[in-house]
């Protein structure tokens, strides 16, 4: 297993729809093991393959749900079904997100309260998960990565303006930037 660098906003692979996985082989097993190791080293709660520069429809997660139950797993070629996203403004105290590919920044974003994710695990077996609240937010965030979208691309007008200023100030506009979990300082201070 190996820890991979996490690419930063502006890297083309983050802004393209990821490709469907068709081969469930040793190479895939190694990639998924590396993703879990990278996630653990990053102190994050989810990681999509595009975040380590691999344009495949895979994400891994390791986080507690709203009931305090730790959930760790893998989704390959997932399909996400979400409840309606409320039309209200996001609460900056309760509905803020961050992203390993947008280091050190977080912004409020409204998300669906409930989701169901269907997909495959690392052996090609069908898996399904229904989540609410915080854990549903994680599932939506990681699924977006496979669509070529980051959470900052979904911000409302007010927060989008703040993001654009921070994006320019941090140089999150050009490809070729990354950070290495476990080596570089943790951008979120964990």
């Amino acid at each position: 297993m190996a820890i991979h660098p996490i690419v930063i906003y502006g890297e083309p692979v983050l802004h393209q729809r990821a490709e469907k996985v068709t081969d469930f082989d040793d190479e895939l097993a190694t990639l998924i093991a590396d993703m879990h190791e990278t996630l653990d080293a990053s102190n994050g709660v989810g990681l999509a393959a595009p975040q380590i520069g691999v344009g495949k429809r895979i994400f891994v997660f390791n986080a507690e749900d709203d009931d305090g139950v730790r959930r760790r797993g893998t989704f390959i070629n997932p399909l996400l079904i979400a409840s309606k996203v409320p039309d209200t403004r996001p609460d900056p105290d309760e509905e803020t997100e961050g992203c390993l590919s947008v280091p050190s920044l977080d912004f409020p974003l409204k998300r669906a309260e409930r989701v169901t994710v269907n997909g495959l695990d690392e052996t090609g077996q069908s898996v399904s998960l229904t989540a609410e609240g915080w854990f549903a937010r994680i599932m939506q965030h990681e699924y977006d990565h496979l669509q070529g979208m980051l959470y900052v691309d979904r911000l409302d007008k007010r927060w989008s303006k703040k993001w654009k200023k921070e994006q320019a100030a941090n140089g999150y506009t050009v490809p070729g930037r990354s950070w290495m979990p476990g080596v570089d300082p943790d951008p979120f201070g964990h």
Side-chain angles (χ1 to χ4, degrees), residues 66-169:
D66 287 353
D67 296 324
V69 176
R70 177 142 310 266
R71 296 187 186 201
R72 178 181 176 95
T74 303
F75 272 106
I76 301 169
N77 302 332
L79 175 65
L80 182 137
I81 302 160
S83 62
K84 186 175 186 287
V85 177
D87 284 338
T88 56
R89 304 248 357 208
D91 180 340
D93 295 324
E94 299 291 327
E95 298 174 305
T96 297
E97 277 183 45
C99 179
L100 298 172
S101 291
V102 185
S104 75
L105 299 176
D106 53 43
F107 296 99
L109 177 65
K110 201 60 132 170
R111 290 279 194 182
E113 180 61 25
R114 181 180 172 90
V115 300
T116 298
V117 185
N118 298 302
L120 304 172
D121 68 11
E122 53 273 3
T123 66
Q125 298 300 307
S126 294
V127 289
S128 182
L129 179 118
T130 297
E132 295 183 5
W134 164 247
F135 207 80
R137 178 177 294 275
I138 296 168
M139 296 295 105
Q140 291 167 84
H141 181 108
E142 299 310 325
Y143 183 79
D144 275 354
H145 276 298
L146 306 183
Q147 306 304 104
M149 179 173 286
L150 283 78
Y151 88 101
V152 291
D153 299 324
R154 289 188 176 275
L155 298 175
D156 68 19
K157 188 174 179 178
R158 174 184 177 198
W159 294 108
S160 182
K161 285 176 77 174
K162 291 182 185 222
W163 152 240
K164 293 296 180 191
K165 287 180 185 176
E166 290 290 342
Q167 181 184 21

Side-chain angles (χ1 to χ4, degrees), residues 23-43:
D23 296 322
F24 290 79
D25 54 15
D26 289 344
E27 186 177 325
L28 178 66
T30 299
L31 172 61
I32 290 169
D34 288 355
M35 288 176 66
H36 277 287
E37 187 171 355
T38 302
L39 176 60
D40 292 344
S42 73
N43 298 308

Side-chain angles (χ1 to χ4, degrees), residues 163-179:
W163 152 240
K164 293 296 180 191
K165 287 180 185 176
E166 290 290 342
Q167 181 184 21
N170 286 284
Y172 296 161
T173 56
V174 295
R177 298 189 61 204
S178 64
W179 68 280

